[in-house]
Amino acid sequence: MKNSDPVSQRQKKYLLAIRRNSILIQVSRILLFVFFVGIWEISARTGLIDSFIFSSPGQILEKMKEMLLDHTLIDHVSITLLETLISFALVTVLGIGCGVLLWAFPRLSLILEPYLVVSHPDERMRVFDPCLWMDPLGRLWFTWSQSLGYFDGMHGVWASVCDAPDAPQPTFGPPRRIANGVMMCKPIVLSDGAWLFPCAVWSKWARPEEAPETEGERFSNAVVTTDLGQTFVRRGGADVKNRCFDEHMVVERKDHSLWMLVRRYDGIGESFSYDGGYHWVGRGHSGIPGPCSRFFLRRLRSGKLLLINHVDFRGRNNLAARLSDDDGKTWSTGLLLDGRDNVSYPDGVEDENGTLYVIYDRERLKDREILLAVFREEDILRGAMEQQDLCLVERRVVSKAGVRE
């Protein structure tokens, strides 16, 4: 009898697609191996590469046949295995010695291991989009997203919390999954004490057979905790048209409604919630232009809104900071942070003295720079939008091409 369960049918199609993809991958690997071996042999025979240095498959097979005939193959293999075992033993001893040394001298450990690294035992698992946030209790949250491959239909937001980030040796708690989707922007604290985490389940690449349980949450979502991060609940989500990677940020307006801005292909979209994030109305354009890139939105201690976005742009250039004292209805002229090409993905914090610290990247595929800009509200109000006025901004490179400075 025909199975009429639509979920079961989708599951069968999904498993069949996985099986076909696995077979395609295996066949492609074999063909790729044959292709490279053939190119290697042809290059050696035609003189494109020096066969004395690089050898060739034919020479290797001929040498193996020669060693089999004169019974020296086993001797050579034995010597190679012995050298491998000796190398393995040396590495093991050195590794244990280094581990003991780092344990005995914590300062040396901090010098040699300055980075917090998240890895996964399954090499197929994509671990990406880290985010740092200091909660009202002074704890440092380190969040990231995981996906089996580039997009598995669901993704997942994970978090690890450090209770004492200023300790000489900060330690983070065990990682835990807090929501479906991806979170690329900082959480906010609402006036009622709830914490809102902006998590998105991407709709652009979603296919019905992948994670059908997320069909009702492929939006720019509001995931909320009301017990200081112990439990999380998805309240609702905005379905903004033409959105791209979402990368949404939320602020609470003076009337306690929520204003969400969302990255769109043609600028920045918006949506509003009047019940704490359960329901969202509006899915159109905010009127704020943008080159389809991430922006930064935050309410400052002064009550003004800070928006960092591209202005008068040709691609991802002219990254500027602007202020609004009427909940985003109008914006100041702004302060140019960086007028160069390919500057993007700003993120920032404000210290207790009102100093603003903003990081962003430049030429992520070429120079791979992470820069820090330091300025104050009054600098923005001066309206310095010319390159020569960048003296108002303290700017320096904090990381370049993987080198920590």
Side-chain angles (χ1 to χ4, degrees):
M1 186 175 69
K2 184 178 179 181
N3 189 346
S4 61
D5 184 355
V7 176
S8 299
Q9 292 296 332
R10 286 198 299 266
Q11 183 70 8
K12 289 180 180 179
K13 291 181 180 178
Y14 178 59
L15 293 175
L16 180 60
I18 291 178
R19 190 175 300 110
R20 288 175 176 172
N21 186 59
S22 177
I23 294 173
L24 177 62
I25 290 174
Q26 295 299 328
V27 172
S28 299
R29 286 174 176 174
I30 295 172
L31 293 177
L32 189 62
F33 174 77
V34 172
F35 172 76
F36 278 113
V37 170
I39 290 295
W40 183 12
E41 181 68 28
I42 293 172
S43 299
R45 288 179 180 270
T46 58
L48 291 177
I49 61 174
D50 191 338
S51 61
F52 178 79
I53 298 175
F54 296 100
S55 190
S56 70
Q59 290 178 340
I60 293 174
L61 291 175
E62 184 178 344
K63 192 64 177 178
M64 288 182 62
K65 179 181 178 181
E66 179 184 330
M67 288 190 292
L68 279 172
L69 294 176
D70 61 13
H71 306 291
T72 59
L73 180 62
I74 295 179
D75 294 336
H76 287 285
V77 172
S78 300
I79 293 173
T80 301
L81 287 175
L82 178 61
E83 291 174 343
T84 302
L85 291 174
I86 292 174
S87 300
F88 180 78
L90 287 174
V91 170
T92 301
V93 171
L94 288 174
I96 294 174
C98 290
V100 172
L101 189 65
L102 294 176
W103 172 81
F105 298 95
R107 181 172 296 176
L108 178 62
S109 176
L110 291 174
I111 293 173
L112 297 179
E113 192 175 8
Y115 302 108
L116 175 62
V117 178
V118 176
S119 61
H120 197 282
D122 188 344
E123 63 180 12
R124 299 172 301 168
M125 187 66 68
R126 180 187 178 209
V127 181
F128 62 105
D129 287 341
C131 183
L132 293 172
W133 177 62
M134 190 78 74
D135 72 18
L137 304 180
R139 301 178 302 179
L140 180 62
W141 286 67
F142 179 50
T143 64
W144 66 93
S145 300
Q146 291 185 182
S147 173
L148 187 60
Y150 182 78
F151 179 58
D152 58 11
M154 180 181 292
H155 285 142
V157 179
W158 289 71
S160 179
V161 180
C162 177
D163 293 329
D166 293 326
Q169 287 185 288
T171 57
F172 283 79
R176 60 193 179 101
R177 196 179 192 276
I178 63 175
N180 292 332
V182 178
M183 190 180 81
M184 301 180 68
C185 301
K186 284 180 167 55
I188 66 166
V189 180
L190 304 180
S191 57
D192 63 0
W195 302 351
L196 188 154
F197 285 59
C199 305
V201 178
W202 293 340
S203 61
K204 177 177 173 59
W205 299 275
R207 295 193 294 268
E209 68 271 13
E210 291 181 327
E213 61 270 32
T214 65
E215 185 175 356
E217 55 181 285
R218 293 170 186 158
F219 309 114
S220 305
N221 297 313
V223 176
V224 174
T225 173
T226 58
D227 52 13
L228 307 180
Q230 295 183 43
T231 59
F232 291 84
V233 175
R234 176 188 172 273
R235 285 188 174 178
D239 186 14
V240 174
K241 294 186 296 183
N242 204 28
R243 64 186 182 274
C244 175
F245 294 110
D246 299 53
E247 296 173 0
H248 56 299
M249 300 199 75
V250 181
V251 292
E252 185 174 10
R253 299 193 297 183
K254 295 172 183 177
D255 63 0
H256 300 298
S257 63
L258 301 180
W259 184 34
M260 178 190 292
L261 294 184
V262 184
R263 171 181 169 182
R264 288 179 31 145
Y265 285 100
D266 57 352
I268 298 178
E270 67 178 358
S271 191
F272 304 89
S273 176
Y274 300 94
D275 58 3
Y278 289 97
H279 301 89
W280 294 85
V281 295
R283 52 197 298 256
H285 202 288
S286 67
I288 303 174
C292 188
S293 183
R294 177 179 160 171
F295 51 88
F296 178 76
L297 177 70
R298 212 67 173 177
R299 188 174 295 281
L300 302 179
R301 294 173 180 268
S302 66
K304 294 183 176 66
L305 291 182
L306 169 67
L307 174 65
I308 301 176
N309 189 31
H310 303 268
V311 298
D312 300 326
F313 52 85
R314 300 182 309 278
R316 292 181 174 182
N317 68 334
N318 290 345
L319 192 65
R322 304 169 71 188
L323 292 174
S324 173
D325 55 10
D326 55 9
D327 275 351
K329 295 178 182 177
T330 60
W331 296 93
S332 67
T333 302
L335 172 67
L336 184 65
L337 303 182
D338 201 319
R340 294 174 292 180
D341 293 335
N342 296 318
V343 290
S344 60
Y345 275 60
D347 193 16
V349 294
E350 179 186 19
D351 70 13
E352 58 185 9
N353 298 316
T355 302
L356 300 170
Y357 299 86
V358 174
I359 60 171
Y360 59 95
D361 64 54
R362 188 184 78 86
E363 295 286 0
R364 63 175 63 175
L365 300 179
K366 182 181 176 183
D367 295 329
R368 293 185 290 167
E369 290 182 346
I370 303 295
L371 295 103
L372 171 68
V374 183
F375 53 97
R376 299 180 62 84
E377 271 191 46
E378 49 264 36
D379 298 324
I380 303 175
L381 294 174
R382 293 179 191 177
M385 285 301 297
E386 300 297 331
Q387 190 76 18
Q388 61 266 25
D389 291 327
L390 283 177
C391 58
L392 296 176
V393 181
E394 177 189 339
R395 190 178 74 189
R396 65 187 181 92
V397 176
V398 296
S399 178
K400 181 178 175 65
V403 179
R404 185 174 181 269
E405 299 194 6

